Amino acid sequence: MPALTALTNHQVRLAARPVGNTKPSDWSHTSEPVAEPPAGGVLVKTLVLSLDPAMRGWMNEGKSYIPPVGIGEVMRAGGVGVVVASKNPAYAVGDHVYASLGVQEYCSIPESEFKRAGLAKIDLRAGTPTQWLNVLGMPGMTAYFGLMDVGQPKAGETLVVSGAAGAVGQTVGQLAKIRGLRVVGIAGGPAKCEWVVKELGFDACIDYKAGDLKTQLRDLCPKGVDIYFDNVGGEILDTVLTRITRGARIVICGAISQYNNTTPMQGPANYMSLLVNRARMEGMVVFDYVDRYPVAIAEMAGYLKAGKMKSKEDVVTGGVDAFPSTLLKLFSGENFGKLVLQVATE
């Protein structure tokens, strides 16, 4: 590897708060020299970055579960990289790590920022770098704790999950099957629906782009929906609320159908179904479970190794410059599986 002083760090920064879909002018592409990490810190070379629907919310000004990305700041993104310089005995050159690296080729992390960045060593024997951004990463942790802690699944129940072919949805459905539930996915397009049934083992999958969703839910969930894991919000959430059972649990994970709206988010018109059915709707944020990640990772790594779970990633090459166009795939539904941007190879 060349001397650090000979390297240039290319970055993508937030230039403006987007209105609706992001556009090229919302981003600035910058570069700066790579320097040695500070005392106690590490320098990480980015290999792959996770692209997630939550990124759209991080760009908005206003109160949320995490501060917004500031104008002029490197765009926030979790990723897997390799340590290329270390001034900390806990990390050696060559260690593979997960951290909030940002959309850039190199990330210098001071020791004081280790916890905030979520810096952690990863074991590539448990999964590939892209799997560490999927089943073993934030989407997998979201699926695990959203289902197990908020959904409280019981064998024999019926679970419906939207965004079934996406990063969180695919893991929710597989975990539910392992726990003995009947699983019905909702996805966009016949190819995605066929994949979650034939490859992931869902009992059925509804193509929301074809036919009447309410009728298909009635036919595929004749006893109603005990758990609904919601990744999309909007009309789909509203429709599923008409089919919930008494004591149902609705897990609010995301609302990808609403993130680029230029008008206020659409709330559920059928919320009174919660009252009638004594049901519970609860939001979940994965960062609340950080202390328990190792337990979930160990369990899911075991499922991957045993062949009980699959992890599908949609990997786009092109480096950090490809980030703005690649991010848009999330909101058009183009991605098939967990969307990952490959920044570099080792």
Side-chain angles (χ1 to χ4, degrees):
M1 181 175 174
L4 296 183
T5 53
L7 299 173
T8 300
N9 183 22
H10 296 94
Q11 305 160 316
V12 176
R13 298 175 182 268
L14 185 65
R17 304 240 173 254
V19 177
N21 271 322
T22 60
K23 53 188 182 297
S25 60
D26 294 326
W27 308 105
S28 62
H29 297 258
T30 61
S31 62
E32 62 184 28
V34 174
E36 289 281 346
V42 296
L43 179 69
V44 179
K45 177 184 178 181
T46 305
L47 299 178
V48 286
L49 289 174
S50 176
L51 275 64
D52 302 287
M55 286 177 156
R56 183 60 188 81
W58 298 342
M59 301 173 207
N60 295 336
E61 191 69 77
K63 184 179 179 181
S64 185
Y65 61 88
I66 191 171
V69 177
I71 300 299
E73 290 182 355
V74 173
M75 180 59 198
R76 182 184 297 138
V80 167
V82 60
V83 176
V84 293
S86 176
K87 293 185 179 178
N88 190 297
Y91 295 91
V93 171
D95 282 348
H96 289 87
V97 296
Y98 172 87
S100 179
L101 299 175
V103 185
Q104 56 185 345
E105 294 172 332
Y106 294 89
C107 181
S108 181
I109 310 176
E111 187 174 20
S112 61
E113 294 290 304
F114 282 4
K115 185 174 182 179
R116 184 202 60 78
L119 180 66
K121 290 183 190 179
I122 62 170
D123 185 352
L124 295 188
R125 292 172 297 181
T128 64
T130 59
Q131 288 174 335
W132 275 99
L133 294 182
N134 192 11
V135 168
L136 302 179
M138 187 171 71
M141 299 302 97
T142 302
Y144 185 93
F145 293 109
L147 177 62
M148 303 306 295
D149 280 45
V150 183
Q152 299 177 359
K154 303 175 186 68
E157 290 186 323
T158 294
L159 174 139
V160 172
V161 56
S162 55
V168 174
Q170 60 177 273
T171 303
V172 168
Q174 291 181 91
L175 273 175
K177 288 299 297 179
I178 290 170
R179 292 296 191 280
L181 279 74
R182 171 175 170 77
V183 175
V184 176
I186 300 174
K192 291 181 180 180
C193 289
E194 182 179 21
W195 177 72
V196 300
V197 172
K198 291 188 174 180
E199 293 295 322
L200 301 187
F202 286 32
D203 294 283
C205 190
I206 298 169
D207 180 359
Y208 72 86
K209 296 180 178 179
D212 179 65
L213 176 61
K214 189 172 184 178
T215 300
Q216 293 180 81
L217 274 174
R218 184 192 63 210
D219 293 344
L220 291 172
C221 307
K223 296 181 180 179
V225 177
D226 300 298
I227 304 172
Y228 175 49
F229 200 108
D230 183 36
N231 290 303
V232 302
E235 292 182 8
I236 292 178
L237 169 60
D238 221 17
T239 301
V240 178
L241 284 174
T242 68
R243 297 295 306 158
I244 60 174
T245 60
R246 182 162 178 162
R249 288 83 70 203
I250 295 87
V251 184
I252 302 298
C253 175
I256 195 170
S257 72
Q258 306 285 295
Y259 289 156
N260 288 312
N261 282 3
T262 54
T263 56
M265 278 196 176
Q266 172 190 337
N270 294 325
Y271 77 95
M272 285 299 288
S273 181
L274 299 170
L275 171 63
V276 172
N277 291 290
R278 290 77 155 175
R280 172 170 54 82
M281 180 184 289
E282 184 175 341
M284 72 84 58
V285 174
V286 70
F287 304 125
D288 294 341
Y289 301 90
V290 169
D291 292 344
R292 293 168 56 197
Y293 284 4
V295 174
I297 289 170
E299 184 176 329
M300 306 250 261
Y303 294 146
L304 284 174
K305 187 174 182 179
K308 292 183 177 181
M309 183 173 284
K310 297 182 179 180
S311 179
K312 181 177 177 63
E313 296 84 42
D314 185 340
V315 181
V316 176
T317 58
V320 295
D321 286 345
F323 170 77
S325 59
T326 305
L327 182 66
L328 292 174
K329 293 181 66 172
L330 284 172
F331 304 103
S332 63
E334 287 181 58
N335 62 299
F336 196 157
K338 170 76 189 88
L339 187 59
V340 174
L341 179 63
Q342 182 173 323
V343 175
T345 58
E346 291 192 66

